Amino acid sequence: MAGKTLYDKLWDDHLVKQRDDGSALIYIDRQLLHEVTSPQAFEGLRLANRKPWRIDANIATPDHNVPTTDRDKGIDGIVDPVSRTQVETLDKNCDEFGILEFKIKDQRQGIVHVIGPEQGATLPGMSIVCGDSHTSTHGAFGCLAHGIGTSEVEHVLATQCLVQKKMKNMLVKVNGKLGAGVTGKDVVLAIIGKIGTAGGTGYAIEFGGEAIRGLSMEGRMTICNMAIEGGARVGMVAVDDITIDYVKGRPFSPKGETWDKAVEYWRTLHSDDDAVFDKVVELDGSAIKPQVSWGTSPEMVTGVDGSVPDPAKEEDPIKREGIVRALKYMGLRPNQKITDIQLDRVFIGSCTNSRIEDLREAAAVVKGRKVAASLKQAMVVPGSGLVKAQAEQEGLDKIFIEAGLEWRDPGCSMCLAMNADKLGQGEHCASTSNRNFEGRQGFGGRTHLVSPAMAAAAAVSGHFVDVRELLN
Amino acid sequence: MRAFTQHQGIVAPMDRSNVDTDMIIPKQFLKSIKRTGFGPNLFDELRYLDEGKPDQDCSNRPVNPDFVLNQDRYKSASVLLARRNFGCGSSREHAPWALDDFGFRVIIAPSFADIFYNNCFKNGLLPIVLDEEIVDKLFQETEANEGYELTVDLEAQTVTTPSGESYSFDVDNFRRHCLLNGLDDIGVTLEDADAIRAYEDARRQTAPWLFNAGN
Ligand code: SF4
């Protein structure tokens, strides 16, 4: 019999019951909750007179709606009454059911996908869900982690299980070493550019190969975070020393003997040598350049030295139509050079790139430089209160502020612009977030997805430049 | 949940691929703590020329005359015909809620994003995958014939055109069963409460750190 993939192992370890009709009950170890996708789930529980199955498996925090200024005002700092109600509703629900919540003024508050790993609430081998598609982030720890809808949030609250069908296995192998100035973000954008936004649909993706093994946990989280942009609900990386070192000593991590026992198990969380994948995609990591998205879908991406495509050269009529529409929305010309795209704003943040290492990379580029006068705004939004504190301890805040970037309080912010941070109509933004859909960062806004280093380079230049030129 | 057995309705063609959930229902409407009332804001940025706000009366807003759902012939559509990778993006269930609230019961496309596909079933909406060539043909027929209707039979797993052509589609058994009977799947899972407890007991022994609430 062939060996098992990492996904097979995680699946088997969480299988409560295989049903005759092909569906299965999968046990969920951890659920993360936030204010946007949970209110209707709690309401559903109440209406059906049900109780949460296991309260201690849940952790909550508000992130999507929170303002990134005046944090000391707490909930009163939320100007929009509808947003405020949503955050208040989360507080009320967590208080009523006794669920641990890092409230708006708690230093541990932050974007759900940042705080899970930071607290050790995300541990290798766990099954993790959240009413948010970027839950795939936690797969970086060798977890079975995926986004779910609100009905499933309610289902997990009530039963600690999900009804699932096993996905297929896909291996994305990034060979070789990454060049200087090339980050996890560039790798994942290059992968999506290659497989397309539906390339991973129906698959659980494992990211492997030398380039992935060489990445820090932050880099791996960035990659798994965007598995969903490649169509896969689940993205994973096998456990190794880097994973275990990251987890050690965190508030929710096991201690003493239990730690040793856990580590022994975690060391088994990798695909066996003879495991068979349904699909394998390989990339040469050493050939990946810093990436920039030019269109309205994350697969519309190219190297910084490239150009906007010419729809006339696309043979597939549906794709051609997609390019024409994207160029119109983005206000770009066919064959325009990426480095000729002028920017209005720069956003460094989101669950893709708002961890300490991301901020260090951005700070290294802007240090001693100034934000281009042509920009309306450049902002840095740390992923959590603890990331913010750490950055301030390292003096990164001063580097950003001296260069002319705004230093904000933690939250999702301009990643989806549910709070006050958004793009104006027609504005171009270099953004470290994960989606460049029409209107994502504000009505009529134009998003270009890049790494933190590339966003920083764009901030000091006013247009895209190859960050490697600034690092030399 | 509302049961789905058969449905016959007017078809609206949404002729673009990779329609994402931000397009289906923009984020400002996700601030609601309710499940209903999203219909007037379905495809808000495509449907109206101004920027939509939550809790606003949409009847006086400037509409985009080119957008398909603003054309009289499609206003009462209940079957949405779509292109590749429909529903990609976020996990927001507000997307199926908005489609449902508008009056859609069926969505037909060559492929769907996983989370969206799953969310539809939880809300009595039926997503149907048909081959790209068949979808192409349905687009042509819909656009050529005003009042074009399709009949969908979940029991028989068929989509039938006005001229009597019939296409079969796949759907997995559990989802089909829940939808046909309008079952609450939490109730179904809780029938296995003993199995869940047995799993937990065993797991507590082998992996005690998973049951440690931390500090
Ligand atoms: S940062 Fe963006 S992608 Fe991440 S959870 Fe928040 S809104 Fe979603």
Side-chain angles (χ1 to χ4, degrees):
Chain A
M1 210 178 86
K4 287 181 177 183
T5 64
L6 171 58
Y7 173 62
D8 295 338
K9 292 181 185 180
L10 293 170
W11 174 270
D12 290 350
D13 282 348
H14 291 92
L15 186 65
V16 172
K17 187 175 178 181
Q18 180 69 51
R19 294 168 168 165
D20 300 337
D21 57 17
S23 68
L25 271 189
I26 289 294
Y27 190 81
I28 301 302
D29 297 315
R30 173 77 68 213
Q31 170 151 255
L32 300 164
L33 298 159
H34 64 84
E35 78 278 21
V36 179
T37 53
S38 68
Q40 296 88 347
F42 282 110
E43 190 58 24
L45 273 193
R46 266 188 219 105
L47 288 174
N49 234 327
R50 289 180 174 130
K51 295 250 165 306
W53 180 278
R54 219 189 102 197
I55 289 162
D56 70 349
N58 298 283
I59 294 181
T61 196
D63 54 6
H64 286 62
N65 277 285
V66 301
T68 55
T69 49
D70 296 328
R71 186 53 53 86
D72 48 330
K73 289 192 191 144
I75 285 192
D76 294 338
I78 310 179
V79 183
D80 177 352
V82 199
S83 287
R84 197 182 322 135
T85 304
Q86 211 168 42
V87 174
E88 282 168 351
T89 306
L90 180 68
D91 288 357
K92 230 172 51 213
N93 284 327
C94 290
D95 290 347
E96 181 185 327
F97 289 102
I99 290 171
L100 174 64
E101 183 194 1
F102 301 144
K103 294 200 167 111
I104 188 165
K105 286 177 82 167
D106 192 315
Q107 200 187 27
R108 296 168 296 176
Q109 178 272 343
I111 306 172
V112 275
H113 309 309
V114 175
I115 66 162
E118 184 172 80
Q119 291 296 321
T122 297
L123 292 173
M126 274 185 164
S127 55
I128 302 181
V129 294
C130 173
D132 190 285
S133 58
H134 291 101
T135 310
S136 56
T137 310
H138 308 265
F141 291 81
C143 291
L144 178 56
H146 52 73
I148 55 177
T150 297
S151 297
E152 287 180 319
V153 171
E154 183 183 338
H155 193 283
V156 173
L157 278 170
T159 70
Q160 212 54 47
C161 289
L162 262 190
V163 181
Q164 288 279 293
K165 236 184 137 170
K166 199 169 173 197
M167 291 174 256
K168 287 180 283 181
N169 278 294
M170 176 164 168
L171 175 65
V172 174
K173 205 168 167 207
V174 188
N175 301 313
K177 285 198 171 57
L178 301 180
V182 178
T183 67
K185 183 62 162 288
D186 303 300
V187 173
V188 72
L189 286 172
I191 292 170
I192 296 164
K194 183 171 168 116
I195 68 173
T197 47
T201 304
Y203 291 93
I205 299 184
E206 179 176 345
F207 298 98
E210 189 187 352
I212 305 286
R213 296 254 68 83
L215 285 172
S216 65
M217 284 315 295
E218 275 95 341
R220 295 177 188 182
M221 281 189 259
T222 301
I223 291 184
C224 291
N225 174 275
M226 289 190 71
I228 186 69
E229 266 64 60
R233 297 176 77 172
V234 168
M236 293 161 296
V237 175
V239 174
D240 59 12
D241 288 341
I242 295 176
T243 325
I244 292 169
D245 288 348
Y246 184 97
V247 170
K248 190 157 193 175
R250 298 197 175 254
F252 285 75
S253 299
K255 318 256 168 345
E257 265 174 50
T258 325
W259 168 263
D260 297 336
K261 196 170 168 188
V263 170
E264 195 185 319
Y265 168 65
W266 294 342
R267 295 235 178 251
T268 67
L269 297 174
H270 53 79
S271 291
D272 296 332
D273 291 340
D274 56 344
V276 179
F277 289 85
D278 301 286
K279 191 170 172 181
V280 178
V281 175
E282 295 200 48
L283 276 84
D284 175 6
S286 65
I288 297 174
K289 296 169 185 156
Q291 303 282 303
V292 179
S293 78
W294 50 265
T296 52
S297 161
E299 68 186 19
M300 296 173 161
V301 68
T302 186
V304 61
D305 57 346
S307 309
V308 173
D310 186 344
K313 292 186 190 140
E314 176 60 56
E315 282 169 14
D316 180 333
I318 295 179
K319 279 197 179 153
R320 191 186 318 130
E321 177 58 28
I323 296 174
V324 170
R325 208 191 292 265
L327 294 191
K328 180 159 177 251
Y329 181 85
M330 294 296 290
L332 298 173
R333 302 179 310 274
N335 305 312
Q336 183 174 348
K337 282 173 71 180
I338 293 293
T339 46
D340 284 346
I341 299 173
Q342 299 297 317
L343 296 160
D344 301 285
R345 294 181 202 262
V346 171
F347 169 63
I348 298 174
S350 90
C351 59
T352 315
N353 284 125
S354 62
R355 299 180 181 83
I356 189 68
E357 189 172 290
D358 301 315
L359 304 189
R360 286 184 194 134
E361 282 169 7
V365 175
V366 301
K367 190 170 186 182
R369 297 187 165 101
K370 291 276 181 224
V371 167
S374 58
L375 284 192
K376 291 182 187 147
Q377 182 184 40
M379 65 196 284
V380 185
V381 184
S384 72
L386 289 168
V387 169
K388 186 174 188 199
Q390 170 77 23
E392 288 177 352
Q393 209 185 342
E394 296 179 19
L396 304 184
D397 57 326
K398 292 200 183 62
I399 297 177
F400 287 125
I401 294 167
E402 267 163 33
L405 289 104
E406 296 171 22
W407 179 242
R408 297 293 191 99
D409 291 316
C412 295
S413 180
M414 213 199 273
C415 172
L416 95 166
M418 259 183 101
N419 69 355
D421 311 334
K422 51 183 83 159
L423 297 182
Q425 198 154 2
E427 288 178 351
H428 287 268
C429 178
S431 176
T432 65
S433 56
N434 42 52
R435 290 190 175 137
N436 50 355
F437 299 152
E438 290 184 19
R440 170 80 178 181
Q441 294 192 288
F443 185 68
R446 295 160 170 168
T447 303
H448 300 275
L449 304 174
V450 287
S451 72
M454 281 288 289
V460 296
S461 311
H463 57 89
F464 288 113
V465 289
D466 189 335
V467 64
R468 295 173 297 186
E469 289 165 18
L470 300 190
L471 290 175
N472 288 336
Chain B
M1 189 180 70
R2 183 183 62 200
F4 186 111
T5 46
Q6 275 197 351
H7 178 78
Q8 180 175 3
I10 301 254
V11 184
M14 181 79 186
D15 196 4
R16 62 196 284 170
S17 51
N18 294 318
V19 169
D20 58 73
T21 51
D22 284 76
M23 217 180 273
I24 298 173
I25 182 87
K27 66 256 163 184
Q28 61 270 39
F29 306 107
L30 312 188
K31 294 178 183 180
S32 167
I33 55 171
K34 299 191 298 249
R35 272 175 196 264
T36 52
F38 297 102
N41 301 109
L42 174 70
F43 297 120
D44 199 271
E45 293 185 2
L46 302 173
R47 218 160 130 194
Y48 304 98
L49 296 169
D50 62 346
E51 182 176 359
K53 301 194 177 60
D55 293 332
Q56 161 194 36
D57 175 7
C58 292
S59 56
N60 299 319
R61 293 175 61 194
V63 300
N64 173 3
D66 297 334
F67 183 62
V68 56
L69 297 183
N70 288 331
Q71 297 170 25
D72 280 338
R73 57 185 285 196
Y74 299 125
K75 278 190 176 148
S76 59
S78 58
V79 177
L80 187 65
L81 190 59
R83 294 289 188 190
R84 287 176 207 169
N85 200 26
F86 188 84
C88 60
S90 85
S91 66
R92 63 186 70 159
E93 208 156 311
H94 312 69
W97 294 338
L99 288 159
D100 176 79
D101 205 59
F102 181 91
F104 286 112
R105 302 296 314 277
V106 176
I107 307 162
I108 300 176
S111 59
F112 291 91
D114 285 341
I115 304 181
F116 175 82
Y117 181 80
N118 195 33
N119 283 342
C120 284
F121 284 98
K122 310 276 179 192
N123 293 283
L125 263 175
L126 178 61
I128 296 177
V129 177
L130 292 178
D131 282 349
E132 193 128 39
E133 301 85 73
I134 301 173
V135 171
D136 269 342
K137 194 159 169 256
L138 295 178
F139 263 99
Q140 285 160 16
E141 291 179 8
T142 303
E143 280 156 13
N145 303 290
E146 193 162 336
Y148 186 83
E149 294 195 349
L150 286 172
T151 306
V152 174
D153 186 331
L154 178 58
E155 182 88 57
Q157 295 179 222
T158 54
V159 176
T160 309
T161 68
S163 60
E165 259 178 299
S166 190
Y167 306 104
S168 61
F169 60 88
D170 282 339
V171 51
D172 75 58
N173 289 335
F174 179 74
R175 287 176 169 138
R176 177 166 168 271
H177 175 70
C178 285
L179 204 49
L180 280 172
N181 298 292
L183 293 182
D184 155 27
D185 63 354
I186 295 180
V188 178
T189 298
L190 287 174
E191 287 172 17
D192 283 319
D194 289 343
I196 304 173
R197 273 188 214 102
Y199 171 90
E200 272 180 339
D201 290 343
R203 198 76 172 145
R204 231 178 260 277
Q205 300 304 315
T206 53
W209 61 89
L210 295 173
F211 296 84
N212 172 356
N215 300 337

